[in-house]
Amino acid sequence: MRIIVCLKPVPDPKHWSRLALDPKTGTLIREGIPNIINPLDRKALEAALQLREREGGEVITLSMAPPSAMPVLREGLAMGADLSIFLTDSAFAGSDALATSYIMGTAIRKLARYDLILCGDQTLDGSTSLVSAQIAEFLGIPNLMHVTAIEVQKSGVFHVRSQIERGSMLVEIKAPLVLSVAKEINEPRYITLMNILEGEKKEIRVWSSRDLSLSEPWVGLKGSPSQMADLFIREAKRKVEILQGDRSEMTKILADRLHRMGYC
Amino acid sequence: MDFKLSEREELLRKSMREFAEKEIPPRMEGMEETGEFPVDLLKKMGDVGILGVITPQEYGGTGMGNLARIIILEEMGRVCPAIPMALQVHHMATYALTKFGNEEQKKKYLPPLAKGETMGVMAVTDPSGGSDVAGIKTSAKLEGDVYILNGRKCFITNSHFSDFWVVVARTGEGGRGLSAFIVEKNFPGAKPGRKENKVGLRGANTGELVFQNCPVPKANLLGHEGEGMNIAIQDIVEAGRPGMASVALGILNAVLEQAVKFANERSLYGKPINTLQAIQWHIADIYADLEISRLLVYRVGWMRDNNIRCDTESALAKQFACEAAARSARKAIEIHGSYGVMKEYPVQRLLRDALVTIPAGGTGEIAKLVMARHALNMFK
Amino acid sequence: MQSEIWVFAEQRQGELVEVGLELLGKALELAHPAGWKVASVLVGHASENALCEQLLSYGADEVIVVDHPLLGSYCSQSYARILGKLVRDYNPKVFLLGATAMGSDLGARLAARLRTGLSAHCIGLELSQEKKLLAVVPGWGGNVLARIYSPHTQPQMATVMPGVFDMPQEKEATGRIVPVDVDLNPEDVTYQILEVKREAGQEQALEKAEVIIAGGWGIGSREDWELVGDLASALHGMVGATRPPVDEGWAKENQMIGQSGRMIHPKLYIGIGISGEMHHMVGIQNADFIIAVNRDPEADIFKMCDLGIVGDFKEILPGLTKEIREKLQK
């Protein structure tokens, strides 16, 4: 079984207090902040490794990032992936979820054979949760999100548990497919010292736009329909909405609010 | 001169920090109460590679080296200093076996240590001599094919959690009359004795080993007869002192973190106390102690990995880092005010931990003798 | 089809999900000053008539109904195909969905299929002077807010968090129902839902709990502390406490939240009779949504919560717990 895991390097949340807004471009300055593997992507990789242990096959990580992301990709190899594909090119800069999904989908097509593509439900920084489903749409294959369990029934057929509001569903779905995982799916393994040494011997294969047959208007800023009108850092994080007055009315409002948020 | 850690070392630190932060805190309360090492953690540590970091790959380790070892101990110590105290003595045993053992001994004793089936023990200190290694009285008399061991070893770390120990005993006269042996717990007449009740580094078990006419086969002589003093001293210099210094480094990290957290959150006179100059100076002193200690200890790791002799640097790192840990922990307690001496707050434990590092693995006074001897010969 | 704004009317177990109605209300609010119309889009099989009437009663100008046996059970690939064709045929300017499990998934695939921009998990929507949809989106764990728009592609899409907008008022229905025929083959349905499970809350550590109800010194007595437990159990959540209730013995040490206790990151935290001292607040700062109930309008916690109720918990909690239990039974 060939499993492709999408790994995104994201700025380490422990250092987010150092994030600053560039007043000229209106974008966040990420330099100098160390990266980690997006936590849900790590869980996706762990799920892939567990599947490889049960069913055999290979695990390939796929990442689209600037060159500074190398150490994070090496970490993915140390965790146990067999090969890392690194998509990097200044032409990719500024890509939104759609352009990113297009570029990654094109790279996956270049790998030709794949049974399962695994992603994390969302990233710590952009948190759009769009990429896994959009990659599936580009490749014309089925997808499921919020996955908490993956079982191979027989060759090419999976039974997958996917979370829905206040519950879950069990779905039968065939390869090739895309699954994005929720945080409940597993606890990723520790990277051992032996793993670190072995990871150093594995390949990080770099592909730029020359290696992929991409349609130029569909990548980078040009290929990103979503644009930022403006960006501001929240000073007071909380909404601070205060209700006063009639007890039974407030009780009703509160109950209704909780209901609409999905708690009852 | 490159002061940066390599990518490998950065990844090692990352994964060690993750392991320490997840696995150690749930066990800390029990460790503080009972003073015992959490043995269930041993196998996990073996699996991750912590126990075999300086053991060659053919005997079950990774051979990643001394700087890697220091980083591991520092990250464990940042969460709970008792853990690297136990680990560093374990490594001292693997060091002695790797450097001085013959092929049979290495094949037999190194793999179980690397895997975490048992803990390593380096038993040098006698009631009659710790700093005075030549004062050791525990005797090993050759009778036919066995050495008969008699005596007691005290203040031995991991004494009660180990299946075999490296023991230094007297086979002849004077400093050249000491030899090292591998003694198994199941040899008749060998057993752990009393358990010590330390004020700090609780969770690194410390106790006595007792030998009463214990027969040790000739095959278990480590190195040659008379090599015991050399083995003990090299072990201390190359593994023991950097190991203890790394424990102190872990303490320093924790001390700074606690002090800064408290200074940033505690408000007096309407603002956080981090705005008060006196507090800022304390913090600066602790920061300096941490950075200096780290440079000294990492240098020893680097020298060892590059096969450069480092007796003096090792003594300096140990002496300085342990004193710095105690000094900074005390400052951190003062930053906390009355909260600092309440058991609920971790900072008082850090001072107690630091105090135990000072005599352990070689006293500061002996370290100073080493440094003085070196310095006095510098300008000839 | 005349409508410029389309809103996906999500349904679950034969009933309309509120977020589809909340978005319908917001869409109408945005549409009318622009001279636009709003359509609700219903996809499924059978049992749609009552739902269509409902959507009209909430003010939809049109209800587009796609009914096909193979659409009876949700499947993202087939739904995206069907909606993609519909959108290409009729060209709405805006397409909105709730940021639910279904909506997030479907919206993403649909946006890719249509090669258009989608703003996800929005907490606000505006229409600019040039009639472009501006979506307010949180990022970086909620520390940063961005306004996103897709000026060059159509439809402009967004998924919106449930509970952000209010439910619209019901009024006299003036819109029309527009049924649409579609072609679908069994191979177009690319997965089978074998089973749906509804889960109740489970015993777990406070740090992992998604719903936490905490009580403070203001609770006053062991008897009244039970009201905290009742509310927690009704919401399938766990009970937390500040230091004083633990000292008093109303709560256990391992329930204490704060600097010297637990650090929690629930989706929902409700603090009752808690003043909001820093010691405790550092323990809850990572909660997604903080509700506070306190008698004292000057309590510090009211400066650091999302929703504050000024009132006596003894007069609010019993009624609240009862209403919650009733809603859950439905």
Side-chain angles (χ1 to χ4, degrees):
Chain A
M1 190 162 57
R2 180 185 263 192
I3 307 173
I4 300 174
V5 181
C6 300
L7 281 191
K8 186 179 185 197
V10 296
D12 190 345
K14 294 203 183 102
H15 297 269
W16 281 5
S17 51
R18 281 153 56 183
L19 278 174
L21 210 49
D22 184 333
K24 280 190 235 129
T25 63
T27 54
L28 284 170
I29 303 172
R30 296 189 188 212
E31 277 78 55
I33 300 182
N35 285 324
I36 58 170
I37 298 178
N38 180 48
L40 283 176
D41 296 353
R42 251 189 103 176
K43 295 189 179 223
L45 179 51
E46 174 64 30
L49 297 172
Q50 287 182 15
L51 279 167
R52 184 185 65 188
E53 275 158 19
R54 293 204 297 268
E55 312 288 329
E58 62 175 325
V59 174
I60 301 175
T61 64
L62 180 66
S63 311
M64 187 180 111
S68 58
M70 279 268 197
V72 171
L73 305 189
R74 185 63 63 193
E75 201 181 321
L77 291 173
M79 249 185 93
D82 299 298
L83 165 69
S84 161
I85 307 272
F86 185 19
L87 308 173
T88 189
D89 195 315
S90 52
F92 299 160
S95 295
D96 68 355
L98 188 71
T100 302
S101 308
Y102 169 67
I103 296 166
M104 292 183 78
T106 306
I108 293 171
R109 265 214 198 94
K110 184 176 163 116
L111 287 168
R113 191 182 61 77
Y114 49 89
D115 300 284
L116 171 61
I117 299 163
L118 282 170
C119 313
D121 264 348
Q122 66 184 70
T123 58
L124 288 179
D125 51 2
S127 349
T128 59
S129 302
L130 296 173
V131 171
S132 68
Q134 296 197 325
I135 289 178
E137 184 64 29
F138 277 127
L139 296 173
I141 59 181
N143 80 301
L144 281 170
M145 293 181 67
H146 320 301
V147 171
T148 55
I150 306 169
E151 234 184 66
V152 179
Q153 272 305 103
K154 50 180 203 261
S155 175
V157 178
F158 294 83
H159 277 192
V160 178
R161 188 159 288 280
S162 160
Q163 285 173 329
I164 53 176
E165 276 72 21
R166 276 203 310 284
S168 66
M169 54 184 190
L170 186 63
V171 178
E172 180 167 293
I173 185 170
K174 294 197 190 70
L177 73 159
V178 178
L179 296 177
S180 82
V181 306
K183 68 182 192 303
E184 288 81 358
I185 189 169
N186 61 39
E187 276 309 314
R189 60 196 59 190
Y190 293 119
I191 297 176
T192 70
L193 271 69
M194 207 62 217
N195 291 155
I196 293 177
L197 294 175
E198 284 164 354
E200 286 170 6
K201 302 189 198 128
K202 298 181 200 164
E203 184 192 353
I204 298 180
R205 195 174 294 170
V206 181
W207 285 348
S208 68
S209 47
R210 267 172 322 172
D211 301 288
L212 302 169
S213 44
L214 293 164
S215 178
E216 198 228 331
W218 289 12
V219 307
L221 271 175
K222 258 205 225 150
S224 304
S226 292
Q227 290 174 25
M228 193 126 59
D230 50 23
L231 186 79
F232 41 102
I233 295 184
R234 252 170 155 176
E235 290 302 341
K237 259 172 66 178
R238 302 285 166 193
K239 264 162 81 175
V240 195
E241 182 189 344
I242 308 292
L243 299 180
Q244 275 181 317
D246 177 63
R247 313 288 182 245
S248 54
E249 209 182 288
M250 290 199 293
T251 304
K252 258 194 156 50
I253 294 176
L254 187 48
D256 180 61
R257 206 63 89 74
L258 288 170
H259 171 67
R260 286 198 285 120
M261 288 198 287
Y263 294 106
C264 58
Chain B
M1 192 176 264
D2 190 348
F3 285 79
K4 264 179 36 207
L5 288 180
S6 69
E7 214 181 277
R8 177 194 290 187
E9 283 145 6
E10 287 292 355
L11 183 52
L12 175 65
R13 182 194 293 290
K14 226 189 203 176
S15 70
M16 288 300 103
R17 182 165 291 205
E18 214 183 278
F19 182 91
E21 283 179 352
K22 240 215 195 116
E23 296 291 334
I24 300 176
R27 297 171 165 89
M28 275 171 78
E29 211 180 301
M31 285 166 70
E32 188 67 15
E33 244 171 85
T34 64
E36 312 228 311
F37 188 84
V39 188
D40 62 325
L41 201 49
L42 202 58
K43 176 149 196 318
K44 278 193 184 175
M45 288 184 159
D47 290 340
V48 168
I50 289 172
L51 302 175
V53 62
I54 55 173
T55 301
Q57 285 192 17
E58 59 259 49
Y59 305 109
T62 56
M64 238 199 210
N66 290 275
L67 185 52
R69 173 188 183 229
I70 288 168
I71 290 172
I72 294 171
L73 295 174
E74 182 184 7
E75 288 300 322
M76 299 292 131
R78 181 184 156 264
V79 178
C80 176
I83 299 272
M85 172 74 191
L87 289 176
Q88 89 90 4
V89 172
H90 174 99
H91 292 145
M92 282 177 79
T94 66
Y95 171 89
L97 287 164
T98 304
K99 190 130 189 215
F100 299 99
N102 58 38
E103 200 53 40
E104 284 90 69
Q105 290 167 338
K106 288 196 274 198
K107 276 212 181 80
K108 181 171 183 188
Y109 294 109
L110 282 174
L113 288 176
K115 279 190 224 147
E117 287 165 18
T118 185
M119 293 201 82
V121 168
M122 193 63 194
V124 177
T125 307
D126 246 38
S128 55
S131 297
D132 176 17
V133 180
I136 284 174
K137 286 213 172 88
T138 300
S139 63
K141 267 212 200 68
L142 183 59
E143 285 180 15
D145 266 342
V146 291
Y147 288 89
I148 303 296
L149 230 59
N150 270 293
R152 273 161 53 220
K153 292 294 184 188
C154 55
F155 303 137
I156 304 302
T157 306
N158 303 335
S159 53
H160 286 63
F161 287 95
S162 176
D163 292 337
F164 52 84
W165 320 306
V166 178
V167 180
V168 173
R170 181 163 291 292
T171 44
E173 295 288 318
R176 307 242 167 152
L178 295 173
S179 308
F181 300 90
I182 307 164
V183 182
E184 292 183 27
K185 189 167 77 176
N186 57 25
F187 288 172
K191 63 172 202 247
R194 65 178 260 135
K195 279 191 194 170
E196 297 295 350
N197 196 7
K198 304 196 300 295
V199 304
L201 295 183
R202 296 177 63 75
N205 140 252
T206 307
E208 258 193 351
L209 294 175
V210 183
F211 309 100
Q212 282 177 315
N213 296 321
C214 168
V216 178
K218 251 177 147 175
N220 280 31
L221 173 65
L222 190 63
H224 309 298
E225 253 197 48
E227 218 181 343
M229 173 91 123
N230 182 37
I231 293 176
I233 293 197
Q234 270 201 53
D235 205 341
I236 287 273
V237 168
E238 308 207 330
R241 287 208 190 107
M244 279 319 299
S246 303
V247 177
L249 208 48
I251 295 174
L252 280 160
N253 274 284
V255 162
L256 183 58
E257 218 171 306
Q258 292 295 323
V260 166
K261 259 203 190 114
F262 191 85
N264 287 340
E265 277 162 5
R266 173 75 171 155
S267 281
L268 291 177
Y269 316 113
K271 30 185 195 170
I273 59 175
N274 63 20
T275 53
L276 302 170
Q277 204 169 55
I279 301 292
Q280 289 172 1
W281 284 341
H282 280 327
I283 298 283
D285 287 341
I286 299 173
Y287 170 78
D289 267 341
L290 169 61
E291 288 292 310
I292 297 169
S293 302
R294 185 180 278 142
L295 285 170
L296 289 176
V297 182
Y298 282 16
R299 176 174 67 165
V300 175
W302 179 85
M303 289 174 83
R304 286 284 304 117
D305 286 338
N306 285 280
N307 274 313
I308 304 172
R309 263 196 86 164
C310 54
D311 302 34
T312 319
E313 290 83 356
S314 171
L316 171 59
K318 198 270 170 182
Q319 191 272 334
F320 187 92
C322 297
E323 280 295 328
R327 173 170 65 232
S328 291
R330 164 102 198 248
K331 288 213 173 84
I333 288 180
E334 296 192 23
I335 290 174
H336 280 65
S338 289
Y339 291 102
V341 293
M342 299 303 157
K343 274 210 165 158
E344 218 181 280
Y345 278 74
V347 70
Q348 43 77 30
R349 177 180 53 77
L350 292 171
L351 177 60
R352 291 188 282 113
D353 288 339
L355 288 175
V356 178
T357 68
I358 294 177
T363 62
E365 288 78 10
I366 295 291
K368 284 196 174 166
L369 288 181
V370 174
M371 291 191 261
R373 193 165 49 219
H374 172 83
L376 287 169
N377 280 306
M378 270 173 78
F379 303 100
K380 295 223 167 97
Chain C
M1 230 77 66
Q2 310 166 310
S3 300
E4 285 86 353
I5 303 184
W6 286 15
V7 179
F8 182 67
E10 183 175 336
Q11 46 170 316
R12 243 175 259 155
Q13 297 175 299
E15 286 197 10
L16 288 174
V17 173
E18 277 90 342
V19 66
L21 299 170
E22 292 162 12
L23 285 181
L24 174 57
K26 182 67 182 178
L28 288 165
E29 205 187 285
L30 293 174
H32 288 164
W36 283 0
K37 289 199 162 56
V38 178
S40 277
V41 183
L42 202 57
V43 179
H45 180 53
S47 78
E48 259 75 65
N49 262 331
L51 301 184
C52 292
E53 298 300 331
Q54 256 199 300
L55 289 166
L56 289 176
S57 76
Y58 280 107
D61 296 303
E62 294 176 306
V63 179
I64 302 168
V65 192
V66 186
D67 188 313
H68 192 290
L70 289 173
L71 293 171
S73 185
Y74 173 68
C75 167
S76 57
Q77 204 169 1
S78 52
Y79 271 49
R81 227 193 89 224
I82 296 301
L83 287 174
K85 180 163 190 310
L86 221 58
V87 167
R88 275 295 163 253
D89 288 342
Y90 296 102
N91 263 316
K93 299 205 189 328
V94 174
F95 196 114
L96 304 173
L97 306 96
T100 56
M102 187 191 290
S104 303
D105 183 27
L106 178 57
R109 282 199 83 122
L110 188 55
R113 193 174 190 82
L114 299 169
R115 293 216 121 263
T116 186
L118 183 150
S119 306
H121 312 302
C122 301
I123 57 170
L125 287 175
E126 299 159 25
L127 213 55
S128 74
Q129 293 278 40
E130 301 80 27
K131 294 192 188 162
K132 293 293 178 192
L133 183 73
L134 285 169
V136 182
V137 172
W140 300 89
N143 294 313
V144 169
L145 285 180
R147 277 205 297 214
I148 313 279
Y149 69 142
S150 310
H152 306 301
T153 60
Q154 205 161 287
Q156 301 159 83
M157 293 184 64
T159 61
V160 181
M161 298 301 293
V164 168
F165 299 126
D166 293 321
M167 286 280 280
Q169 303 282 31
E170 282 183 78
K171 39 176 101 85
E172 204 185 306
T174 54
R176 61 185 190 129
I177 299 178
V178 186
V180 174
D181 280 324
V182 293
D183 260 318
L184 215 58
N185 297 312
E187 312 84 76
D188 297 324
V189 179
T190 51
Y191 58 71
Q192 242 75 30
I193 297 180
L194 301 176
E195 142 201 305
V196 175
K197 238 196 324 186
R198 300 281 159 193
E199 275 151 18
Q202 288 165 327
E203 191 55 52
Q204 33 162 262
L206 210 58
E207 286 89 337
K208 292 217 165 93
E210 301 215 313
V211 176
I212 296 179
I213 318 297
W217 183 228
I219 299 294
S221 73
R222 192 185 294 272
E223 292 74 53
D224 288 336
W225 186 260
E226 286 181 18
L227 294 175
V228 177
D230 287 343
L231 179 58
S233 97
L235 286 168
H236 298 301
M238 294 185 71
V239 175
T242 59
R243 173 155 282 300
V246 173
D247 291 339
E248 291 295 315
W250 310 332
K252 288 186 263 177
E253 185 74 39
N254 67 3
Q255 290 175 292
M256 196 172 72
I257 298 167
Q259 170 120 28
S260 33
R262 312 270 156 149
M263 303 293 271
I264 58 172
H265 1 259
K267 292 209 169 101
L268 174 67
Y269 163 93
I270 305 182
I272 304 168
I274 290 177
S275 62
E277 237 206 45
M278 253 308 135
H279 252 255
H280 176 69
M281 297 311 284
V282 302
I284 72 170
Q285 62 191 351
N286 290 320
D288 287 351
F289 199 84
I290 295 179
I291 299 179
V293 178
N294 196 305
R295 225 175 10 186
D296 175 12
E298 303 297 319
D300 277 331
I301 197 171
F302 285 134
K303 301 189 189 85
M304 301 180 266
C305 66
D306 291 295
L307 179 59
I309 314 278
V310 181
D312 188 334
F313 75 94
K314 283 191 280 252
E315 292 172 12
I316 294 178
L317 251 52
L320 179 64
T321 305
K322 183 158 164 284
E323 282 225 31
I324 290 169
R325 288 224 157 93
E326 278 166 16
K327 282 193 200 296
L328 276 170
Q329 263 165 8
K330 286 209 197 112

